Amino acid sequence: MNSVLIKNIGTLLGISEATSAVRGAAMERVEAITDAYLLIVDGEIASFGEMASCPVVEDIEVLDAQGGIVHPAFCDSHTHLVYAGSREDEFIDKINGLSYEEIARRGGGILNSADRLNEASEDELFDSALRRLRQIAEKGTGAVEIKSGYGLTLDGELKMLRVIARLRKAMPEMAVKATFLGAHAVGRAFAGRQGDYVDHIIADMLPAVAAEGNADFVDVFCDAGFFTVEETDRILKAAAKVGLRPKIHANELDVSGGVQVGVANGALSVDHLERAESEELELLAGADTVATMLPGASFFLGMPYGKARRAVEAGCAVALASDWNPGSSPSGSMPMVMSLGCIKMKLSPEMALNAVTINGAAAMDLARSYGSVACGKAGSVVIYHPWVPSLNYIPYAYTEPQIAHVVLRGKTII
Ligand code: NIG
Ligand code: FE
């Protein structure tokens, strides 16, 4: 693993010993040191502090931040970045007025991606996903969750999870978590037989997924037109028996009951929440489950935004993630997600930074090793150009290329 001394940091942001999500008023706090250094040894943060106490090191790469801001790398806790092809034709349908649900009903949407994925070879999938992984690394992401869910067949789902395992090996400086999302839509072979498909997930897919050992978590799209609360509950209980903790899609299209069934099953996170109301937010405020919102999907589909500010004020632990996928959010840019969090969801830049770092890490069960600057955590940080004047500027100048360097586990990516 790599070592590097980053010196002349203008402001080192995100200093915290937190090993779990921050919630409510604590989301407003971002600890900082000005005129700082950060020493990364063998991929981990070894020490940091004021430049005046910067250690003299030999045989270690030195990176001069030239007064730029530094913060922990982004932790993107919800993506579907393994997919075949793209769906820009549906994008045109959307421009012409069709909704996400209408496109799905016409056989487009997730099933369209599933057809292409089942035709693609494992190597093809791996190559395109590795390209996307490199893209997000260059944009400052240091930890990412990737879902299956475009196979919707036993072979297709296992193939996706194998691709995710290969990605982890191919890019060891990026933390990669894998989620089994067989219940993303009903596979074509089971059209009109949703109950049988759920039985197939439980009886055949989950044991095979567990046997291959490539999944960390389980997900269900618990929403109008997709899977019911009862089906979700059955799948989550079966997944718990093989050690997979839930991270679920809930309340994107309707007040689905997904938050309740997720919390009842000890979900690490419930994600989307565009239609979550006070009842859901109060429930999440009293639970360990992270409330993950995906403003990129709201932006792209023209949906309401999740009530992130209200969720923080209610005492929730809010994370923001990119939801990178070909249908509802064809972007893995976490700087853009942070900007949308501030511009559209009225988060302060401090809240947004916590949402895309420590809380994203917590939503992947990675907060002990990612999401803040602390000795022993991963040496994964974003270094801004010296002309970026403040944290407030980062989400404000929302298309400006502000990032000068990205260092992941001590390796300089750009
Ligand atoms: O998170 N909502 C469900 N799944 C994805 C979209 C998948 C697709 O359209 O391909 C999402 O938005
Ligand atoms: Fe998603």
Side-chain angles (χ1 to χ4, degrees):
M1 271 294 175
N2 301 280
S3 302
V4 61
L5 171 68
I6 306 171
K7 61 175 198 176
N8 296 324
I9 297 169
T11 310
L12 179 61
L13 293 172
I15 297 163
S16 163
E17 295 285 334
T19 54
S20 58
V22 294
R23 57 178 61 245
M27 284 193 70
E28 187 58 34
R29 281 199 291 279
V30 172
E31 299 296 331
I33 300 179
T34 51
D35 196 17
Y37 78 90
L38 177 70
L39 177 64
I40 299 167
V41 176
D42 291 337
E44 284 183 359
I45 297 176
S47 72
F48 60 90
E50 289 173 6
M51 261 316 277
S53 55
C54 183
V56 180
V57 291
E58 280 170 33
D59 302 329
I60 279 192
E61 182 193 340
V62 176
L63 190 56
D64 191 338
Q66 298 182 325
I69 292 172
V70 171
H71 67 57
F74 300 116
C75 297
D76 189 354
S77 64
H78 181 139
T79 82
H80 311 244
L81 67 71
V82 174
Y83 57 85
S86 46
R87 305 225 302 265
E88 64 276 20
D89 295 345
E90 291 175 15
F91 171 57
I92 305 306
D93 292 338
K94 282 183 201 114
I95 290 172
N96 291 330
L98 287 191
S99 70
Y100 184 76
E101 289 98 320
E102 284 163 337
I103 291 169
R105 271 200 295 276
R106 295 196 329 180
I110 295 167
L111 291 180
N112 180 354
S113 285
D115 290 342
R116 298 196 202 184
L117 186 129
N118 283 299
E119 285 160 15
S121 73
E122 192 177 307
D123 284 345
E124 282 165 355
L125 284 174
F126 172 75
D127 289 346
S128 61
L130 184 59
R131 192 181 69 233
R132 294 181 197 116
L133 206 61
R134 292 204 174 108
Q135 279 182 28
I136 62 170
E138 289 175 7
K139 289 195 164 90
T141 296
V144 65
E145 180 257 19
I146 310 174
K147 299 173 193 296
S148 69
Y150 289 125
L152 310 180
T153 58
L154 178 60
D155 288 350
E157 289 296 308
L158 294 176
K159 178 167 73 174
M160 289 189 77
L161 291 168
R162 279 197 300 272
V163 168
I164 299 169
R166 281 176 64 186
L167 293 171
R168 183 182 299 122
K169 285 212 182 80
M171 216 186 184
E173 57 276 16
M174 173 81 78
V176 176
K177 290 283 191 175
T179 300
F180 167 57
L181 175 55
H184 198 191
V186 176
R188 283 210 197 272
F190 289 83
R193 296 186 295 129
Q194 178 150 336
D196 292 346
Y197 184 64
V198 172
D199 290 345
H200 177 51
I201 290 174
I202 292 171
D204 306 313
M205 288 192 185
L206 272 172
V209 166
E212 292 208 358
N214 286 330
D216 301 296
F217 309 118
V218 65
D219 191 347
V220 175
F221 189 5
C222 179
D223 222 323
F226 290 85
F227 294 89
T228 66
V229 167
E230 292 69 31
E231 289 164 342
T232 304
D233 192 53
R234 280 187 63 208
I235 294 168
L236 298 188
K237 290 206 158 53
K241 289 197 181 123
V242 293
L244 301 180
R245 207 163 157 197
K247 282 173 66 61
I248 73 168
H249 282 74
N251 295 56
E252 174 185 1
L253 307 172
D254 205 351
V255 181
S256 67
V259 173
Q260 286 79 358
V261 71
V263 169
N265 283 281
L268 202 48
S269 68
V270 288
D271 299 26
H272 269 289
L273 306 178
E274 287 85 348
R275 327 262 167 182
E277 299 301 333
S278 304
E279 195 183 318
E280 281 79 17
L281 300 184
E282 275 162 32
L283 181 63
L284 287 168
D288 283 338
T289 304
V290 175
T292 300
M293 300 194 186
L294 311 169
S298 300
F299 173 72
F300 187 76
L301 295 182
M303 289 186 303
Y305 286 81
K307 298 177 183 73
R309 180 81 191 208
R310 264 183 54 194
V312 172
E313 285 166 359
C316 298
V318 174
L320 297 177
S322 75
D323 195 20
W324 191 355
N325 75 77
S328 68
S329 185
S331 162
S333 167
M334 290 300 276
M336 181 68 180
V337 165
M338 221 181 135
S339 291
L340 289 171
C342 295
I343 298 165
K344 293 296 196 179
M345 296 170 144
K346 307 294 176 211
L347 294 180
S348 67
E350 288 81 2
M351 291 172 184
L353 184 64
N354 280 312
V356 295
T357 55
I358 187 70
N359 285 2
M364 294 184 271
D365 200 17
L366 278 175
R368 281 177 298 280
S369 51
Y370 276 85
S372 67
V373 174
C375 290
K377 282 202 175 189
S380 299
V381 293
V382 181
I383 304 172
Y384 288 83
H385 285 294
W387 46 260
V388 173
S390 63
L391 170 60
N392 290 350
Y393 187 92
I394 293 171
Y396 150 83
Y398 66 97
T399 59
E400 200 168 25
Q402 300 179 30
I403 296 176
H405 301 286
V406 176
V407 173
L408 299 185
R409 297 207 75 103
K411 180 174 174 184
T412 305
I413 302 294
I414 56 167

